[in-house]
Structure formats: structure tokens, C-alpha cells
């Protein structure tokens, strides 16, 4: 915690720490276990214990206090980034039609970006907007590169995600495509967050389906 060991650096063994700080190995073991449980350290089988990478902390429940990825990164002392993967017009699925209040056979704008913290990929962001009011997004590649989506929506459209009517979180395993975008191994555990966002007037705005690297993210209530 004092910056003596850098991220991904291996710390000394229990016996070395015991001698270094003149405490028992049991005390050292308990301290290491506590730091592992809090996410500061990670044990790698057959290799030792290493300093973990910093984690982004974000709330699960988002009622009138929605925090975007960029804001969450900066609150944790990290610099957010975004690379646009796709901006497409595609047919709306049934839940998108229902939530966004669209006529049958409508289209949506699919915006996909890789979000980074201090240059490290953290999240594959998949957002779905009603086509007609947001068709300008199709030409917003540059505007949405290394930018806050929430801030962009507010400046361009005068609307910002303010709350969710539903937000679910589950554990999934990375597909080969997701793994390639997020620099993880296929099959690695990830968070999958599915959220339905309302604007400040309580009107449906966007559906977010995000795949998040589990080792780099912490959710709290």
C-alpha cells in the first residue's frame, strides 16, 4: 500500500517477509490472505504471490446516481479510454422493442467499444439505441473514441443516463472474440451486466450489455 512493490511484481515469500518484518509466519500468512481477499494481492499456483492490478469500483444498484465507466475510472485514479469496434444499424430484438417503445420491425443503433483503464482493456461495451433519434451515432467514430458516452449523449442530444429500471449481473466465460478484444484467455470468467437506462425525465434511453474482465472490476451496493 506504500508503493514499495509495483503492479504485477512478485512479493517475498512468507519466510522472507517473516524475517524482514520480525513477525511470525502465521501473522504474515494471515496478512497475505487478507490482502488477497481485498484484491491487493493475487496468488499464482506454483509461482508465488504478486501485486494485483488496480481495480475499477462501480455500484450495482444505480437509482438516480448512475456512474459511467469514465467517471468510475477517474474516481479510482485511473485514466479511461475507449476504442470504437462497431457502430451499426441492425434489427431490434424483442426486449429492445419493448423497453425502447419501438414499433414492430424497428431498427436500433448498435454501438460497441472496448473500454480501457490506464491503457488496459477492462470492458467490451455493447449499447443499443433507438435508430431514429440516434442515427447520428453512425458517423460518430471519432467523437466516441477515448470519450465518455454519457457526456457525449448529454452534449449532443441533451439526454444522459440517470437511472436503471433493471440491472442484472452474472458470471460468464469469455468467448474467443471477447477474449481477443479484452486480452484475456478464452474461457476466463467475466462479469456480464445487462442494464436498461432511463434519462433524467424517466424515458427509456439505452440498453447496455457489457462484458467486464472479472479480475479488474469490483462491484458494490
Amino acid at each position: 500500500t506504500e508503493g514499495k512493490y509495483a503492479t504485477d511484481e512478485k512479493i517475498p515469500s512468507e519466510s522472507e517477509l517473516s524475517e524482514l518484518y520480525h513477525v511470525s509466519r502465521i501473522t504474515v500468512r494471515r496478512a497475505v490472505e487478507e490482502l488477497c481477499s481485498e484484491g491487493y494481492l493475487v496468488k499464482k499456483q506454483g509461482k508465488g504471490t504478486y501485486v494485483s492490478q488496480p481495480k475499477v469500483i462501480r455500484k450495482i444498484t444505480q437509482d438516480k446516481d448512475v456512474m459511467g465507466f469514465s467517471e468510475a475510472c477517474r474516481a479510482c485514479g485511473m485514466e479511461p479510454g475507449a476504442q470504437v469496434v462497431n457502430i451499426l444499424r441492425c434489427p431490434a430484438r424483442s426486449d429492445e422493442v419493448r423497453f425502447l417503445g419501438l414499433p414492430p420491425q424497428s431498427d436500433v443503433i448498435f454501438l460497441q467499444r472496448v473500454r480501457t483503464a490506464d491503457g488496459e482493456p477492462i470492458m467490451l461495451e455493447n449499447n443499443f439505441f433507438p435508430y431514429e433519434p440516434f442515427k447520428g451515432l453512425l458517423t460518430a467514430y471519432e467523437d466516441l473514441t477515448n470519450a465518455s458516452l454519457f457526456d457525449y449523449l448529454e452534449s449532443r442530444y441533451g439526454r444522459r443516463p440517470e437511472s436503471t429500471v433493471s440491472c442484472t449481473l452474472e458470471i460468464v466465460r469469455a468467448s474467443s472474440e471477447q477474449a481477443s478484444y479484452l486480452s484475456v484467455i478464452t474461457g476466463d470468467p467475466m462479469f456480464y451486466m445487462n442494464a436498461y437506462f432511463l434519462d433524467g425525465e424517466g424515458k427509456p434511453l439505452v440498453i447496455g450489455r457489457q462484458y467486464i474482465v472479472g479480475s479488474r472490476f469490483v462491484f458494490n451496493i
Side-chain angles (χ1 to χ4, degrees):
T1 58
E2 295 179 353
K4 184 173 182 178
Y5 300 105
T7 299
D8 292 328
E9 182 179 353
K10 183 180 179 181
I11 68 170
S13 66
E14 289 182 2
S15 60
E16 290 171 331
L17 289 170
S18 177
E19 291 182 13
L20 181 62
Y21 293 104
H22 307 291
V23 296
S24 69
R25 289 189 64 174
I26 292 177
T27 300
V28 170
R29 186 174 298 120
R30 288 177 176 173
V32 170
E33 291 294 341
E34 184 175 343
L35 290 171
C36 285
S37 67
E38 293 176 356
Y40 294 107
L41 298 176
V42 59
K43 290 186 176 181
K44 299 182 180 181
Q45 190 172 3
K47 295 183 178 180
T49 304
Y50 292 77
V51 179
S52 297
Q53 292 181 318
K55 297 190 179 189
V56 177
I57 301 173
R58 192 173 181 180
K59 292 182 67 176
I60 298 176
T61 305
Q62 303 183 78
D63 183 17
K64 302 299 181 185
D65 57 355
V66 170
M67 179 180 285
F69 180 86
S70 295
E71 187 180 357
C73 273
R74 293 193 176 103
C76 295
M78 290 178 270
E79 183 62 30
Q83 287 80 50
V84 177
V85 178
N86 286 301
I87 308 179
L88 305 172
R89 178 179 181 176
C90 57
R93 288 173 285 193
S94 57
D95 70 313
E96 295 158 2
V97 169
R98 287 194 303 271
F99 174 70
L100 297 172
L102 303 175
Q105 312 302 318
S106 293
D107 289 343
V108 291
I109 297 293
F110 168 50
L111 168 62
Q112 185 178 51
R113 302 191 299 172
V114 172
R115 302 308 312 269
T116 61
D118 287 343
E120 294 292 327
I122 299 280
M123 178 169 72
L124 182 61
E125 179 185 82
N126 302 282
N127 295 307
F128 299 84
F129 297 87
Y131 173 73
E132 283 299 332
F134 292 100
K135 56 187 177 183
L137 290 172
L138 288 170
T139 57
Y141 275 82
E142 290 187 9
D143 292 333
L144 292 170
T145 297
N146 293 324
S148 163
L149 176 61
F150 285 15
D151 290 348
Y152 178 79
L153 292 173
E154 187 170 30
S155 64
R156 174 70 188 274
Y157 298 99
R159 302 176 68 185
R160 185 183 186 92
E162 296 287 354
S163 62
T164 57
V165 294
S166 174
C167 184
T168 59
L169 190 68
E170 60 183 294
I171 303 296
V172 298
R173 295 195 176 277
S175 68
S176 58
E177 180 182 23
Q178 293 159 357
S180 67
Y181 285 131
L182 296 172
S183 300
V184 297
I185 298 173
T186 301
D188 273 3
M190 296 193 302
F191 291 116
Y192 170 61
M193 186 171 69
N194 191 21
Y196 297 78
F197 292 97
L198 304 175
D199 64 15
E201 296 181 354
K203 296 179 180 179
L205 178 56
V206 59
I207 299 173
R209 298 187 173 98
Q210 327 300 12
Y211 293 89
I212 304 162
V213 178
S215 62
R216 296 296 310 279
F217 224 86
V218 173
F219 284 96
N220 59 23
I221 296 175

